[in-house]
Amino acid sequence: MKSKAWLKPYVYGALAGLLLVLSVAIAGQFFGTSTSYPRMATWLIDLIGIDLGYLAFYQVRDGALTGAAFPNWQLLFVVGIGLGAFLSSMATKTFKAERLPPMWVDRFGDRLGLRVVHSIFGGILVMVGARMAGGCPSGHGVSGVSQLGVSSLLALTMFFVGGIITARILYGRRSS
Amino acid sequence: MTLFYGLITGIIFGALLQQAQVLRFEKQVGAMRLIDMTIVKFMLSTIIVGSVGIYLLSDLGVVSFDPRPLSLGLQVIGGLLFGIGWALIGYCPGTSLGALGEGRYHVIWPISGMLIGGLVFAFLYPLTQEYIRPIGNFGSISLPDLLGVSHWLVIVALAVGAFFLFRFFEKNNL
């Protein structure tokens, strides 16, 4: 089993492809996750009593991009990913509580504050970028490229171009 | 029923991502540093099987779909912003929830950032639609349409390309 470890990403990736096909065939749903973030954010804002209903964003397809769409297929899909990862990591004893990512600590040291700043700033870029491009690595990358969409191929390429350049700046030339 | 399918699909997808180890910060940033191609192997394998299945269903008339609309402005600018942020946080929107599931509690910071980003986008939305969307706007177009060839030819080319890429990765221990 150990010697076959290199096969894992291919085998589980192919199974994920099969799962996507079944999801499209049975439920009529392609994978996607990123829209759930603006939906959750606007839902929380509504919850604390701030009314942003005047924004054009709230009017798109009767609020389809906001918390008004909850609960929907995608929300349950996103929750399921967390649950599935939890069950799978428990079953194989790979669940590991971590305070900071080891690779990040190697590069930036054990500084939680800096990690929080990177995460908030980066997270904003990720979500503004994903929603602007119309999808993330699941919506565009997996679902969109499987449909051979030109928009998705372009978006996925740009994800990696932006990521590779930024990683080079943050981590320097590959050495390890 | 739709909700139930969503949950079940998510649980299986989350388990597959976890088993393939693609939920880890090290794997995601590793790919962007060009030192570990695990997530690329996973994604391309998913895409090849997915495209064969989806186009088979489409040829059989079981499903119909249109690729997402193409706007050079939205996909180039949005895609680059995403990529920059992706390297900073080391997770994408879907994998971050999975990472939380396998105990990487520090992922709450990227998740918080993405929630704030979701709200920021709600304000930026009209600007992106008005000024960026019209740049190179071509509507829904697939690669086979663009090239004027059968979708099966494109899928075979994709699979062959991926095969050589995978062989390169394995030879170079990436």
Side-chain angles (χ1 to χ4, degrees):
Chain A
M1 204 57 196
K2 279 273 188 285
S3 62
K4 296 270 170 66
W6 69 274
L7 273 170
K8 273 188 175 187
Y10 301 114
V11 172
Y12 291 119
L15 288 173
L18 208 56
L19 183 69
L20 173 70
V21 176
L22 286 175
S23 175
V24 173
I26 297 169
Q29 296 286 343
F30 282 95
F31 294 175
T33 52
S34 63
T35 320
S36 285
Y37 284 82
R39 282 182 184 139
M40 180 59 73
T42 53
W43 183 78
L44 290 170
I45 289 296
D46 290 340
L47 202 67
I48 59 171
I50 300 171
D51 183 16
L52 295 175
Y54 62 90
L55 292 177
F57 190 73
Y58 278 68
Q59 273 99 53
V60 183
R61 281 176 278 131
D62 293 326
L65 300 181
T66 68
F70 286 152
N72 62 352
W73 183 91
Q74 195 188 92
L75 176 71
L76 273 289
F77 176 69
V78 169
V79 170
I81 292 176
L83 205 57
F86 173 73
L87 295 172
S88 157
S89 64
M90 280 293 167
T92 53
K93 297 191 169 57
T94 46
F95 183 93
K96 190 172 141 210
E98 229 176 50
R99 187 169 162 271
L100 285 169
M103 184 190 273
W104 197 86
V105 172
D106 276 351
R107 171 66 184 84
F108 296 103
D110 192 13
R111 295 151 73 187
L112 184 64
L114 186 65
R115 177 65 188 152
V116 173
V117 171
H118 276 216
S119 300
I120 301 292
F121 180 65
I124 292 173
L125 288 179
V126 160
M127 198 46 61
V128 168
R131 291 323 316 152
M132 198 186 284
C136 56
S138 56
H140 260 315
V142 169
S143 301
V145 176
S146 293
Q147 298 172 36
L148 307 176
V150 178
S151 63
S152 299
L153 286 158
L154 178 62
L156 184 61
T157 307
M158 288 301 139
F159 295 164
F160 275 97
V161 169
I164 289 168
I165 293 170
T166 310
R168 169 66 74 87
I169 294 168
L170 288 174
Y171 293 89
R173 279 177 179 277
R174 67 185 237 201
S175 51
S176 51
Chain B
M1 205 59 199
T2 310
L3 298 180
F4 176 73
Y5 284 136
L7 186 66
I8 295 298
T9 311
I11 289 174
I12 301 171
F13 191 47
L16 293 172
L17 291 167
Q18 205 275 332
Q19 288 298 313
Q21 303 187 348
V22 294
L23 297 171
R24 299 180 186 177
F25 178 97
E26 279 68 22
K27 296 292 180 185
Q28 306 230 354
V29 176
M32 288 178 265
R33 292 175 69 188
L34 307 174
I35 54 179
D36 183 334
M37 290 297 155
T38 307
I39 66 163
V40 179
K41 296 173 193 173
F42 183 93
M43 277 186 86
L44 276 177
S45 303
T46 308
I47 288 166
I48 291 163
V49 174
S51 60
V52 169
I54 288 163
Y55 272 95
L56 203 60
L57 290 175
S58 158
D59 282 359
L60 295 171
V62 181
V63 299
S64 67
F65 54 83
D66 289 309
R68 299 175 181 209
L70 172 66
S71 151
L72 298 181
L74 289 180
Q75 270 101 45
V76 170
I77 298 171
L80 286 174
L81 290 178
F82 180 97
I84 296 166
W86 190 19
L88 279 162
I89 68 177
Y91 295 100
C92 50
T95 52
S96 58
L97 271 300
L100 191 63
E102 63 171 358
R104 273 58 173 191
Y105 300 124
H106 49 75
V107 77
I108 58 168
W109 305 114
I111 290 174
S112 309
M114 287 189 280
L115 283 172
I116 297 170
L119 197 60
V120 170
F121 183 72
F123 285 89
L124 294 178
Y125 176 76
L127 295 174
T128 63
Q129 297 304 300
E130 191 174 345
Y131 297 105
I132 303 178
R133 187 188 196 87
I135 306 171
N137 191 358
F138 295 98
S140 177
I141 183 167
S142 73
L143 194 57
D145 292 339
L146 184 72
L147 300 173
V149 297
S150 156
H151 44 258
W152 292 111
L153 190 67
V154 177
I155 292 169
V156 168
L158 191 73
V160 171
F163 173 79
F164 284 103
L165 197 62
F166 291 160
R167 214 173 61 162
F168 174 80
F169 290 162
E170 297 306 332
K171 270 186 181 165
N172 291 277
N173 219 4
L174 289 168

